[in-house]
């Protein structure tokens, strides 16, 4: 617990924490405000597109889909930056020199990252919904659906699933940066893996659907009417069911952490 609390205190003040949330909220706000203004100036087609994004309760779906999609990439880079800095800044070496268990230290650090991911997603969601309400008013779209009881009732479960999926992606970045012992290498490899998996899906869909980013997306796709629900659209033919994907998310999460811990246990810490 002491290591976990120390990790939280350290992460709260890290620029990467603020940059990650700012990037998510800024890009989301840009999309929503651009949709509102485009709807006013581009005729019937633009108005229809803006209405689709800015009409509640559908806006809940869009905001969560964005956070669980693009937020996964941000989580990869955030966790990679934190894990890589433990090696390049000598923080891990100092902890081990004090007699800390390597495995306990790494797991406590990742637990702190998972909490920061939860806080970041919560802040981004609240601000995103606020921007969506402002954008809807700019576009002259009713916000009456913001209190839709069915949507509000399923929000907690979907937010929990989405957080778990994003944490799994963070674990992958954490493991990559640990293996590379470098922030830049971890971030670069994590981003390459993210986009490489998306590109490979064109040619190897039956294999890629079991990969970490694909199962993360599938685990929060409820297939709800009118756009596939949270997670970014209806599942493609042959895709994993959300519950199956959620199990695989857990497998990838545990596997990534196991690799990071085992490597740290056996690595020679120098510098």
């Amino acid at each position: 617990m002491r290591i976990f609390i120390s990790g939280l205190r350290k992460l709260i003040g890290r620029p990467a924490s603020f940059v990650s949330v700012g990037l998510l909220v800024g890009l989301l706000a840009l999309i929503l405000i651009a949709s509102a203004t485009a709807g006013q100036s581009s005729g019937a087609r633009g108005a229809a597109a803006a209405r689709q994004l800015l009409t509640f309760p559908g806006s809940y779906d869009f905001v969560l889909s964005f956070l669980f999609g693009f937020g996964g990439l941000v989580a990869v880079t955030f966790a990679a930056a934190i894990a890589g800095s433990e090696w390049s800044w000598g923080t891990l070496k100092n902890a081990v020199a004090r007699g800390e268990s390597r495995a306990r230290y790494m797991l406590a650090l990742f637990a702190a990252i998972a909490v920061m991911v939860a806080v970041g997603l919560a802040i981004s969601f609240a601000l995103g919904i606020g921007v969506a309400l402002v954008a809807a008013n700019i576009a002259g779209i009713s916000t009456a659906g913001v209190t839709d009881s069915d949507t509000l009732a399923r929000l907690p479960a979907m937010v929990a699933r989405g957080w778990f999926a994003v944490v799994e992606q963070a674990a992958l970045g954490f493991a990559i940066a640990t293996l590379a012992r470098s922030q830049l290498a971890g971030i670069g490899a994590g981003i390459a893996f993210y986009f490489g998996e998306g590109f490979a899906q064109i040619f190897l869909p039956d294999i890629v659907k079991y990969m970490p980013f694909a199962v993360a997306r599938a685990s929060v796709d409820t297939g709800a009417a009118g756009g596939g629900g949270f997670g970014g659209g209806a599942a493609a033919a042959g895709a994993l069911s959300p519950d199956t994907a959620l199990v695989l998310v857990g497998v990838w999460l545990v596997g990534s952490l196991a690799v990071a811990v085992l490597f740290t246990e056996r690595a020679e810490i120098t510098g």
Side-chain angles (χ1 to χ4, degrees):
M1 181 60 70
R2 174 178 52 83
I3 302 175
F4 169 71
I5 297 298
S6 175
L8 272 181
R9 290 175 177 171
K10 179 171 61 178
L11 294 182
I12 289 173
R14 291 284 289 272
S17 302
F18 298 99
V19 170
S20 298
V21 174
L23 183 62
L24 276 176
V25 174
L27 187 54
L28 179 58
L30 181 63
I31 294 171
L32 293 171
I33 297 299
S35 298
T37 55
Q40 294 180 320
S41 60
S42 58
R45 179 176 296 179
R51 187 171 297 276
Q52 184 176 7
L53 288 183
L54 302 176
T55 300
F56 285 89
S59 289
Y60 285 119
D61 286 32
F62 173 73
V63 171
L64 286 178
S65 295
F66 178 86
L67 293 180
F68 297 154
F70 186 68
L73 177 59
V74 173
V76 168
T77 60
F78 175 70
I82 301 304
S85 68
E86 293 296 314
W87 298 87
S88 58
W89 294 0
T91 314
L92 176 62
K93 177 184 177 182
N94 291 335
V96 172
R98 294 195 308 266
E100 301 285 0
S101 163
R102 299 187 185 196
R104 185 169 62 247
Y105 182 87
M106 294 299 285
L107 291 175
L109 177 63
F110 185 77
I113 291 174
V115 171
M116 291 297 293
V117 167
V119 172
L121 288 175
I123 294 173
S124 300
F125 176 71
L127 294 177
I129 294 301
V131 173
L133 289 169
V134 172
N137 287 324
I138 292 174
I141 297 173
S142 171
T143 59
V146 72
T147 57
D148 181 74
S149 58
D150 290 340
T151 300
L152 294 178
R154 63 191 176 103
L155 268 177
M158 293 312 303
V159 167
R161 292 174 73 104
W163 168 78
F164 190 58
V166 173
V167 167
E168 174 248 18
Q169 295 170 81
L172 186 66
F174 187 82
I176 292 173
T178 299
L179 293 175
R181 304 191 192 190
S182 166
Q183 287 178 296
L184 293 179
I187 292 172
I191 293 174
F193 195 169
Y194 181 90
F195 288 106
E197 181 184 303
F199 181 74
Q201 192 168 17
I202 301 173
F203 306 100
L204 302 168
D206 291 337
I207 296 175
V208 173
K209 70 180 181 180
Y210 297 106
M211 300 301 286
F213 297 111
V215 298
R217 288 190 294 270
S219 69
V220 291
D221 187 354
T222 63
F230 302 126
L240 300 172
S241 69
D243 290 340
T244 301
L246 192 65
V247 173
L248 292 177
V249 165
V251 172
W252 277 105
L253 172 60
V254 173
S256 297
L257 291 180
V259 168
V261 168
L262 290 174
F263 177 83
T264 303
E265 284 282 0
R266 299 176 66 87
E268 181 181 353
I269 302 177
T270 60

